[in-house]
Amino acid sequence: MKQLLLSILGCCSLLAGAQQVTVVKQERLLQGVEGPAYYPVLDRTGARLLFASGVEYGLKLYDMNTGAVTPVSNERCAGIDATFGNDGNVYYVGQKINENNLIYRTGYKFDVNKASIDIVLEAQHGAVTHAVGTRGVAMRGPRKNYASARNIGTAVDVQGSNLLITVNGKQHSYSPVESYAGYLWPSLSPDGTKVLFFAAGAGAFVTDLNGKVLASLGNYEMPCWYNNDYVVAQNATDDGHQFTSSQIMLLKADGTFRHELTKSTSMSMQPTSAAGKIVYTTVDGLLYVMEISIND
């Protein structure tokens, strides 16, 4: 029996060791062209990249095929939570402070082909969130909402410690993980069957479309899907005032595997991924693109 157990453990060790991740490409983006860049977001094709720039975190669009950089908005914080819709357009929220120091947020759509901007959600005081669905985009504010289609398909959003999952236009609320500080960074897997989110104080989790927890990935921030089976995320530490380390991690979506893509001393953070590309920035705002090979 002891010999059989050792044999089984040996086989398991071989299987675990067989999984290898290789970085096949890693290069700096926009070197000498742009200043510090943060909050990168790739479109589904991996050809276009949104990023925040300037002291007010305005929004810019980078075409990775042509090298062209297009300013989208100089409005305050426009680049912090911008996203591409399934229609290829850019959706973002700008902020303005009125004479009473109250922050008002406005929802915008930037037509990439026409380079035109439309207001889709009028200014309102309070938080404005968005959900990118398989058929459309929704923005939700405290008083007004917007949807680019009557049925946005399958989508995910968060509100406090509630996971809001929309399937076929019908929204359901779940609280699969206890988190007094709330949920962050929700996203839908590329095949639309799983949900990824971060629960403050608890870590990153994967659920099905009914809010059932499928895996706990660990205390990794800003998680996003690499493909249907893997996730990239930020692993950072701080001293209460500033970051002391930060790196990009590759995590298997079932929680069985993790791998360092960058060193903790690299101060790399805020990953985004699509079409086999991983883009991230550093604490100094230096953008990098990475491509990897996974041998299962």
Side-chain angles (χ1 to χ4, degrees):
M1 177 64 72
K2 181 179 179 181
Q3 186 63 39
L4 176 61
L5 179 59
L6 290 174
S7 298
I8 293 173
L9 290 174
C11 290
C12 290
S13 297
L14 288 173
L15 288 172
Q19 194 162 28
Q20 295 181 342
V21 178
T22 304
V23 176
V24 297
K25 177 182 179 181
Q26 187 176 25
E27 64 182 34
R28 175 93 176 270
L29 295 176
L30 298 173
Q31 186 171 6
V33 178
E34 288 290 328
Y38 298 96
Y39 302 101
V41 177
L42 280 167
D43 72 353
R44 293 183 180 182
T45 69
R48 288 168 170 165
L49 180 75
L50 297 172
F51 64 94
S53 67
V55 294
E56 294 291 312
Y57 292 111
L59 178 62
K60 291 185 178 182
L61 172 67
Y62 172 50
D63 189 315
M64 299 181 72
N65 291 329
T66 67
V69 176
T70 302
V72 176
S73 173
N74 290 323
E75 196 163 334
R76 185 174 182 264
C77 297
I80 289 183
D81 198 26
T83 187
F84 287 97
N86 60 332
D87 56 6
N89 293 320
V90 174
Y91 294 83
Y92 65 96
V93 177
Q95 298 183 8
K96 290 183 178 178
I97 303 176
N98 70 4
E99 62 276 6
N100 297 316
N101 287 324
L102 296 177
I103 297 176
Y104 279 78
R105 295 174 175 87
T106 302
Y108 298 92
K109 179 182 77 173
F110 175 73
D111 189 310
V112 175
N113 295 322
K114 298 178 181 179
S116 61
I117 297 175
D118 294 314
I119 294 176
V120 297
L121 194 60
E122 296 293 337
Q124 54 190 305
H125 177 53
V128 173
T129 62
H130 67 258
V132 179
T134 54
R135 299 179 188 174
V137 175
M139 286 186 173
R140 186 179 67 248
R143 294 188 296 106
K144 302 174 184 177
N145 300 319
Y146 162 80
S148 64
R150 179 172 296 182
N151 181 351
I152 65 170
T154 304
V156 60
D157 194 3
V158 293
Q159 187 174 42
S161 295
N162 294 301
L163 194 62
L164 306 179
I165 300 176
T166 301
V167 179
N168 292 324
K170 296 183 179 180
Q171 188 180 89
H172 302 274
S173 179
Y174 305 99
S175 295
V177 179
E178 186 174 289
S179 175
Y180 296 108
Y183 299 164
L184 296 165
W185 306 305
S187 61
L188 195 65
S189 61
D191 64 4
T193 64
K194 298 186 289 289
V195 168
L196 172 68
F197 71 101
F198 179 83
F205 293 86
V206 176
T207 76
D208 63 16
L209 296 182
N210 294 313
K212 178 183 177 182
V213 173
L214 301 177
S216 172
L217 305 185
N219 192 28
Y220 300 105
E221 301 169 328
M222 303 191 78
C224 64
W225 294 97
Y226 173 74
N227 58 25
N228 292 316
D229 300 311
Y230 286 88
V231 169
V232 289
Q234 164 186 303
N235 180 31
T237 60
D238 64 80
D239 60 8
H241 301 283
Q242 60 185 6
F243 288 107
T244 55
S245 70
S246 191
Q247 65 184 144
I248 306 301
M249 300 289 296
L250 179 72
L251 314 169
K252 199 161 188 181
D254 63 4
T256 61
F257 175 80
R258 64 195 63 180
H259 178 82
E260 295 182 355
L261 293 178
T262 62
K263 298 297 183 182
S264 60
T265 53
S266 67
M267 302 302 285
S268 48
M269 55 187 61
Q270 300 174 358
T272 178
S273 183
K277 294 178 180 178
I278 300 168
V279 173
Y280 61 89
T281 190
T282 69
V283 71
D284 297 319
L286 308 182
L287 280 177
Y288 288 87
V289 61
M290 173 187 289
E291 293 180 15
I292 63 175
S293 173
I294 303 173
N295 180 12
D296 289 324

